[in-house]
Amino acid sequence: MIFGRSKAERTPLDGVDVVLADLDGVVYAGPGSLPHAVDSLNRAADEGRRLGYITNNASRTDASVAEHLTSLGLHVAPEDVVTSPQAAMRLLAELVPAGSTLLVVGGEGLVVEVEKAGFVVTRSADDSPAAVVQGFAPEVGWKQLAEAAYALATPLEDGGIPWIATNTDWTIPQARGIAPGNGTLVSAVHTAVGRLATVAGKPERPIFDVAVARTGATSPLFIGDRLDTDVQGARGAEMASVHVLTGIDRPKQLLAAAPNQRPDYIVEDLRQLFEPYPATIVKGERTRVGDAIIEVDGVDLRIVSEGSRQIDLLRAGAAAIWNSGRAIFGFRVPEQLYADPFRVR
């Protein structure tokens, strides 16, 4: 964790050559951009950092994503966008012969990548596919899920075919709220066949490896809004991570984060990428970030000083819990610590 290494004069962007950003909940929610996201990312690019975008959403092509981002005011080419279907094709190239027929459960974003990789698309288990690849699309319904179940009826150890899921996000942010994601659809097939899919997208490493290879990153920083996919994935790929409070996971989830889901930085919005990140100072049972101070008093987390910024109070509370070696349910946590004034929609 960077908490132990932070210096007050350093910003999260210092020493970073490539900024990799998630999309849903970081850059946009639905069709519209999130406050300060576009201006901040453009500033990072203007200062000489390469930008890349990583998305688990398999419903759109890299070209359509780039077009959307460009319409929001970013300068994005298709090659700047790394999608979970692209990571899935990297996996499948190692599992099945070139030119194989794949049963595709998903939409255009997945179909395009399957065809670009030289595979043949089928929608029917009767065509003896060499593998099943499954990704999110709004039009996916029972018929597609049923075909996947038919194709995957034989267990892998008994000669069955591989099953690759682009991602297993349980939810996806939309302009109207939070909707079911690909994880719910993959789970439906799993329930039918009793098998687990191999996952290509976040939090698994393949999608991060594709992004690093494509951008030539040597010191990347990944920005996400989910702990279980974005932060966990970045940590698994050995890159620094920023959790931004504009998407799915809120202060309460941050305080309770498992060790492999704890970000290096916590920010309200992307403007804070350019601000000096305050050091976390631990003295005995007290943890200080900025002028916010938290004390561990037995089973109680006690606010000694609220400080002048809620974000620093959250950072201090998270650091106090994370450094204690105890899970959050081992504490009585004051509600003010997980108050959520950060939500933007």
Side-chain angles (χ1 to χ4, degrees):
M1 276 178 44
I2 280 178
F3 278 124
R5 300 188 275 114
S6 294
K7 296 180 180 179
E9 69 273 13
R10 290 180 59 84
T11 77
L13 289 176
D14 285 349
V16 170
D17 63 341
V18 176
V19 176
L20 299 171
D22 178 46
L23 295 177
D24 292 314
V26 175
V27 180
Y28 55 65
S33 63
L34 288 160
H36 314 296
V38 170
D39 288 345
S40 296
L41 290 168
N42 280 335
R43 178 180 171 185
D46 290 342
E47 292 181 359
R49 299 175 183 88
R50 179 166 180 178
L51 303 186
Y53 301 91
I54 299 180
T55 178
N56 267 359
N57 190 335
S59 65
R60 295 194 292 168
T61 65
D62 53 4
S64 66
V65 171
E67 183 179 3
H68 179 199
L69 294 175
T70 299
S71 75
L72 298 178
L74 292 162
H75 307 289
V76 184
E79 56 266 28
D80 298 324
V81 179
V82 179
T83 69
S84 57
Q86 293 169 352
M89 294 309 102
R90 180 170 176 157
L91 284 177
L92 282 163
E94 301 171 355
L95 294 173
V96 300
S100 294
T101 296
L102 305 181
L103 176 62
V104 176
V105 179
E108 180 189 18
L110 184 52
V111 169
V112 167
E113 292 300 333
V114 169
E115 293 177 340
K116 280 168 57 177
F119 296 113
V120 177
V121 174
T122 183
R123 298 291 191 174
S124 174
D126 293 337
D127 290 333
S128 300
V132 173
V133 59
Q134 181 173 355
F136 175 80
E139 65 268 23
V140 170
W142 181 88
K143 288 184 178 180
Q144 287 194 44
L145 300 178
E147 290 298 327
Y150 303 149
L152 295 167
T154 302
L156 192 61
E157 59 270 22
D158 293 335
I161 62 175
W163 177 23
I164 304 296
T166 59
N167 67 295
T168 51
D169 298 45
W170 291 111
T171 57
I172 183 170
Q174 298 290 288
R176 294 173 59 194
I178 304 302
N182 196 48
T184 62
L185 305 176
V186 171
S187 182
V189 177
H190 161 72
T191 301
V193 301
R195 291 181 53 178
L196 294 174
T198 299
V199 182
K202 300 173 293 178
E204 304 305 322
R205 184 147 187 165
I207 196 168
F208 292 94
D209 289 341
V210 171
V212 169
R214 189 177 298 175
T215 61
T218 59
S219 183
L221 178 71
F222 186 71
I223 308 169
D225 70 304
R226 300 182 66 120
L227 301 174
D228 61 346
T229 56
D230 298 330
V231 174
Q232 182 175 326
R235 289 179 65 92
E238 301 176 272
M239 62 177 68
S241 62
V242 172
H243 182 84
V244 60
L245 290 162
T246 52
I248 292 289
D249 282 326
R250 314 306 308 158
K252 186 176 289 188
Q253 286 76 41
L254 272 166
L255 295 173
N260 67 337
Q261 296 179 3
R262 295 170 181 173
D264 297 294
Y265 304 101
I266 303 168
V267 299
E268 294 178 63
D269 61 59
L270 298 192
R271 291 176 298 180
Q272 291 180 345
L273 293 174
F274 304 91
E275 294 181 4
Y277 198 84
T280 296
I281 300 169
V282 179
K283 291 186 177 180
E285 298 301 317
R286 290 192 173 187
T287 300
R288 176 175 184 152
V289 176
D291 53 0
I293 303 173
I294 299 294
E295 182 175 74
V296 176
D297 184 6
V299 298
D300 290 302
L301 282 183
R302 191 165 63 85
I303 299 174
V304 177
S305 171
E306 297 178 8
S308 55
R309 302 200 307 171
Q310 180 69 24
I311 188 66
D312 287 339
L313 184 62
L314 173 61
R315 291 164 173 165
I321 294 171
W322 298 349
N323 292 330
S324 72
R326 294 151 57 186
I328 191 171
F329 51 76
F331 293 101
R332 283 195 289 261
V333 181
E335 290 186 14
Q336 188 175 350
L337 260 186
Y338 52 86
D340 195 1
F342 310 108
R343 189 174 290 278
V344 296
R345 63 183 190 280

